[in-house]
Amino acid sequence: MARTRASGSPTAFPAGTLTTSTGSLTFDAITPRAALLVLDGMESSYIDLDDPTHLEFEYMQQMDLAARVALGDGPIRALHLGGAGCALARAWAASRPGSRQLVVEWDAILAELAREFCDVPRAPEVKIRVAEARAALQRFPEDRWDVVVRDTFTGGAVPAHMRTYEVALSASHTLAEGGLFLANLTDRPPLAMARSEVATISAVFPHVAMIIDPAILRGRRYGNALIVAAKIPFDVTALARACRGLPLPVTVVAGEKLRDFAGTMPVLHDEAPTAP
């Protein structure tokens, strides 16, 4: 979504390029009170200091809708694997008072900058833990979270070790019975990554849908797809209706159409250890 940049006004965000633990970060000011966080050249968060409920990125709007359809509008327990500016956690803290959220961020300096400049609510509303996402996920007990958000990226793609059957199994283990696993990914034609992700997550969760721009689904361009997975049924019809009302309308693929989309793609597993 194109935005006009601020012109010469003093902003609430630091100027220039900052060095984090793992790369570079810039706050690209849209207005003095709103900015895009750009990590190593990739737009990773949009922060509006005056309206924490403003979700600029389409996939976050879709995550918010999926949570509302499946879980209602009340407080939730949410685990965010991948943090950046904590935009979704900020939005849920504001729109769902009483929620308890944990953001797991690998980059310690980025976590500090998010706290300093992005107006992230303090604990216990939103905790930020510096840790590797996969390792953190595996430590949680059963029924710990209502939502697990996987939004981990390296170099513009989901790391391979975060895309396996074993990750989905860990998410299923720590989710409440009616909870949601929300997995964000990016892909380009012929959507091999999206197809393999659908096959893999469907091997763990019995109820799965994919939210995607029709142009991406038809193989016309690169972009995001969001996989929504649960242990018990959620209202796919209501989700599809809500997604058609977004600023950028998207389609929901489920059931037989989603199985056809995955086709014969194999389930992704952790690599077997090599023999000594």
Side-chain angles (χ1 to χ4, degrees), residues 219-240:
R220 293 180 180 173
R221 68 177 183 86
Y222 168 87
N224 292 80
L226 174 65
I227 299 174
V228 181
K231 302 179 201 178
I232 64 174
F234 53 92
D235 193 335
V236 174
T237 301
L239 179 60

Side-chain angles (χ1 to χ4, degrees), residues 132-147:
E132 194 279 317
R134 172 75 179 265
L137 176 63
Q138 292 173 327
R139 295 191 185 107
F140 294 112
E142 290 182 274
D143 192 32
R144 177 64 181 85
W145 303 104
D146 301 310
V147 182

Side-chain angles (χ1 to χ4, degrees), residues 164-189:
T164 65
Y165 174 92
E166 288 75 16
V167 169
L169 198 62
S170 293
S172 177
H173 171 80
T174 194
L175 277 170
E177 184 66 14
L180 286 184
F181 181 42
L182 301 176
N184 179 38
L185 65 103
T186 55
D187 205 359
R188 54 178 43 86

